[in-house]
């Protein structure tokens, strides 16, 4: 929400409150003169929910959509399998890295699945995500955009200075692949980074990793894991 306002967006209503046992945030944001957006976020340090609705700029639709969104709640008896949200398979049988969190369709992996905290800026970890296939997907441009975002993160403390060590783009049958090995420097601490993107006829896989160990002892493991990721059928 702060980012929205800093970019010139308007929040007509912004309210923090308790939704049951959980900290919650509610906002109503005009979208030009014709529509509005309503946003509800709630959770704690173990889960988070984000609900967004858009409706024409009139009182009847505003009330209907807002009432529906504010009826959201967390069912404590629900025990979801977080892997169900992921559209890929990864083999970690011989690895110390385990799934830590799932954010949308992106899985983050850490040593022994340790949960990442807000101030954990220097953890050895990797992220796997998928994107739908599109005919106009430019794998090099997508890779470059990701690297640009590392260097220009909206949170200053997370920004990286990137030095590219190697970059290789090639075809493998029907698939297009780009691999980039980098050194990233964050707050004076260096890490070895490996980025792997594979475009297949059924979807796109992206793998992003950081190794903060002195001798980059995990980087070869990262490369081996990335190569074996497959899309779920």
């Amino acid at each position: 929400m702060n980012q929205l306002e800093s970019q010139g967006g308007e929040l007509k209503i912004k309210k923090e409150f308790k939704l049951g046992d959980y900290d919650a945030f509610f906002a109503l944001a005009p979208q030009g003169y014709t529509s509005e957006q309503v946003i509800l976020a709630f959770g704690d340090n173990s889960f988070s929910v984000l609900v967004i609705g858009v409706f024409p700029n009139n009182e009847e639709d505003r009330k209907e959509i807002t009432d529906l969104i504010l009826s959201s709640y967390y069912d404590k008896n629900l025990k979801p399998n977080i892997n169900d949200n992921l559209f890929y398979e990864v083999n970690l049988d011989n690895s110390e890295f385990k799934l830590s969190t799932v954010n949308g369709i992106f899985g983050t992996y850490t040593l022994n699945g340790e949960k990442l905290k807000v101030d954990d800026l220097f953890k050895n970890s990797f992220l796997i995500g998928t994107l739908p296939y599109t005919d106009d997907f430019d794998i090099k441009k997508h890779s470059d955009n990701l690297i640009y975002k590392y260097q220009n993160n909206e949170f200053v403390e997370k920004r990286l200075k990137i030095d590219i060590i190697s970059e290789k783009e090639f075809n493998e049958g029907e698939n297009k692949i780009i691999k980039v090995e980098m050194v990233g420097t964050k707050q004076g601490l260096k890490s070895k980074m490996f980025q792997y993107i594979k475009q297949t006829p059924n979807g796109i896989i992206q793998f992003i990793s950081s190794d903060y160990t002195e001798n980059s002892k995990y980087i070869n493991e990262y490369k081996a894991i990335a190569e074996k990721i497959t899309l779920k059928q």
Side-chain angles (χ1 to χ4, degrees):
M1 294 304 97
N2 291 339
Q3 182 185 9
L4 175 65
E5 289 184 301
S6 71
Q7 294 174 349
E10 177 190 354
L11 294 182
K12 185 176 178 180
I13 295 173
K14 182 167 66 171
K15 184 175 179 60
E16 295 182 44
F17 63 104
K18 282 285 187 181
L19 186 64
D21 297 330
Y22 307 108
D23 293 327
F25 182 90
F26 176 85
L28 192 63
Q31 295 187 309
Y33 296 104
T34 60
S35 65
E36 291 183 313
Q37 185 178 61
V38 58
I39 303 164
L40 172 68
F42 68 94
D44 58 19
N45 61 3
S46 65
F47 81 98
S48 61
V49 174
L50 177 65
V51 191
I52 299 175
V54 177
F55 48 85
N57 190 8
N58 67 69
E59 191 59 39
E60 184 178 346
D61 288 327
R62 177 188 296 111
K63 184 178 187 312
E64 180 181 4
I65 297 296
T66 302
D67 286 350
L68 283 169
I69 285 177
L70 289 175
S71 71
S72 303
Y73 67 96
Y74 179 61
D75 184 350
K76 293 183 179 180
N77 295 315
L78 185 65
K79 304 298 180 186
N81 181 351
I82 59 176
N83 282 288
D84 290 345
N85 284 347
L86 303 176
F87 295 97
Y88 60 83
E89 303 279 3
V90 58
N91 188 337
L92 300 175
D93 289 346
N94 299 313
S95 175
E96 297 177 77
F97 286 89
K98 306 296 177 189
L99 182 62
S100 169
T101 56
V102 173
N103 185 356
I105 56 172
F106 292 89
T108 299
Y109 298 77
T110 60
L111 289 168
N112 299 312
E114 181 183 358
K115 300 300 181 186
L116 290 174
K117 300 175 183 177
V118 174
D119 55 354
D120 285 339
L121 300 180
F122 306 108
K123 290 286 187 182
N124 301 307
S125 63
F126 59 86
L127 180 147
I128 304 173
T130 54
L131 299 168
Y133 174 85
T134 59
D135 290 332
D136 59 351
F137 182 78
D138 186 327
I139 193 169
K140 176 66 166 65
K141 183 177 180 180
H142 182 73
S143 177
D144 290 346
N145 284 342
L146 290 175
I147 295 169
Y148 175 84
K149 289 178 180 178
Y150 308 150
Q151 299 183 94
N152 297 276
N153 195 300
E154 62 179 289
F155 301 104
V156 176
E157 68 275 12
K158 294 183 179 181
R159 289 179 184 169
L160 290 160
K161 179 182 179 297
I162 297 291
D163 294 312
I164 293 177
I165 300 172
S166 65
E167 183 175 31
K168 184 180 180 183
E169 183 180 356
F170 58 97
N171 293 338
E172 194 175 75
E174 294 183 286
N175 304 326
K176 293 181 180 179
I177 298 170
I178 188 167
K179 303 178 183 180
V180 188
E181 197 166 337
M182 300 163 275
V183 171
T185 305
K186 184 193 300 177
Q187 296 184 14
L189 185 64
K190 289 189 175 181
S191 70
K192 198 78 167 286
M193 300 176 63
F194 176 67
Q195 179 172 286
Y196 174 96
I197 302 169
K198 177 189 281 188
Q199 179 184 5
T200 80
N202 297 316
I204 296 154
I205 297 167
Q206 64 182 40
F207 176 97
I208 301 164
S209 60
S210 297
D211 182 346
Y212 286 96
T213 61
E214 186 175 350
N215 298 313
S216 305
K217 71 176 183 178
Y218 295 116
I219 204 73
N220 287 332
E221 182 178 352
Y222 290 160
K223 293 177 181 179
I225 290 170
E227 294 278 0
K228 295 178 182 178
I229 301 169
T230 58
L231 293 169
K232 287 181 180 178
Q233 299 299 313

